[in-house]
Amino acid sequence: NAGVTQTPKFRILKIGQSMTLQCAQDMNHNYMYWYRQDPGMGLKLIYYSVGAGITDKGEVPNGYNVSRSTTEDFPLRLELAAPSQTSVYFCASSPFSGAKNTGELFFGEGSRLTVL
Amino acid sequence: TQLLEQSPQFLSIQEGENLTVYCNSSSVFSSLQWYRQEPGEGPVLLVTVVTGGEVKKLKRLTFQFGDARKDSSLHITAAQPGDTGLYLCARPRGSSNTGKLIFGQGTTLQVKP
C-alpha cells in the first residue's frame, strides 16, 4: 500500500517557468490537500478538494491552480514561478466519511521546489 | 486570531531527559492534533485530543488538552534519540475538522545519545 505518492521529489525552476506537482493516493480517500512548508512557519494550506470535480482555495492560493478529475489524483500547477514559491510542498489525503472520520491527514513525502 | 504559538522553537537535550512542548492560542478550538515530522518525510499524526482536560498517553509521550481548550502540551519522558524530529500542533480552521488545518510553527527536538 503506497499511501500518498508525490513526484517529483526535487525540482529547480527558473523565474517565469511553469510546472505541475503530481500527487496520487491509493486509499480511496475523498479529501485531498496541498500544503506548503517554509522554515519556521509550519504548514499553510494552498488548495483542497472534497471529491472529484470539487476544489477550493485555502489560505495561500495565489500563483497556484489545481484540478481533481479522479478520486486518486490531485495535481498542483504553478504558473509563472516566483522566488516566493520556493518551498517544500506536501500533498495529503483524508477519508472523512462517516465512521472513518478520524480527522487524520496522511501526508506524502514532499516535493522540494527551488525557484531561481 | 486563530494562530497557534508553539514553544520552544528549538530544543536540544541529552538522552534520558524529560521535556515539554507547548501549543497555545488565544481562541478556543474544537480539537487539536499533534504530528511528528522526520527529515525528508511528511508529518505523521501522533494523537488527536477533543475534550477539555483530556490526557492521552502514547508510550513515553503524554498529551494534554487544556481545560479551556485554548492550549495543549506534549510531554516526553526519558527522551531517546529516536524522538528527534519536528513536532507540530494543528487545529481545525473552522468549527469542525475537515482537514483544513492551522499549524503551529513547530518545535525542533534533538535528542543526543
Side-chain angles (χ1 to χ4, degrees), chain A residues 21-107:
Chain A
L21 299 178
Q22 302 291 344
C23 175
Q25 53 95 7
D26 62 359
M27 297 175 283
N28 201 32
H29 287 171
N30 300 324
Y31 285 51
M32 295 188 75
Y33 315 82
W34 275 104
Y35 283 87
R36 61 176 285 173
Q37 184 176 34
D38 301 304
M41 298 292 290
L43 285 83
K44 292 189 185 297
L45 181 64
I46 305 171
Y47 269 96
Y48 67 98
S49 169
V50 302
I54 306 170
T55 63
D56 207 347
K57 296 177 180 179
E59 184 181 357
V60 289
N62 291 344
Y64 308 94
N65 276 301
V66 293
S67 59
R68 183 98 181 268
S69 57
T70 67
T71 299
E72 294 78 18
D73 301 298
F74 190 41
L76 178 71
R77 178 82 177 162
L78 280 73
E79 304 282 1
L80 299 175
S84 61
Q85 293 179 303
T86 294
S87 188
V88 182
Y89 292 84
F90 286 97
C91 179
S93 71
S94 191
F96 283 110
S97 55
K100 295 182 181 178
N101 187 0
T102 64
E104 178 176 4
L105 295 187
F106 295 81
F107 285 88

Side-chain angles (χ1 to χ4, degrees), chain B residues 1-73:
Chain B
T1 178
Q2 296 187 17
L3 292 177
L4 286 177
E5 295 288 336
Q6 281 188 242
S7 61
Q9 282 193 278
F10 301 97
L11 201 51
S12 181
I13 61 173
Q14 293 295 134
E15 182 176 1
E17 292 183 2
N18 302 331
L19 67 115
T20 302
V21 176
Y22 300 93
C23 178
N24 297 294
S25 175
S26 60
S27 56
V28 175
F29 34 93
S30 58
S31 64
L32 187 115
Q33 296 182 323
W34 284 94
Y35 287 81
R36 187 172 83 184
Q37 184 180 15
E38 298 189 19
E41 298 184 7
V44 175
L45 181 68
L46 296 173
V47 76
T48 301
V49 287
V50 297
T51 306
E54 182 177 4
V55 176
K56 283 191 174 180
K57 292 192 175 183
L58 186 65
K59 296 183 180 179
R60 293 175 294 99
L61 278 62
T62 302
F63 304 86
Q64 189 159 6
F65 200 12
D67 291 339
R69 288 164 45 218
K70 291 184 178 183
D71 57 271
S72 180
S73 64

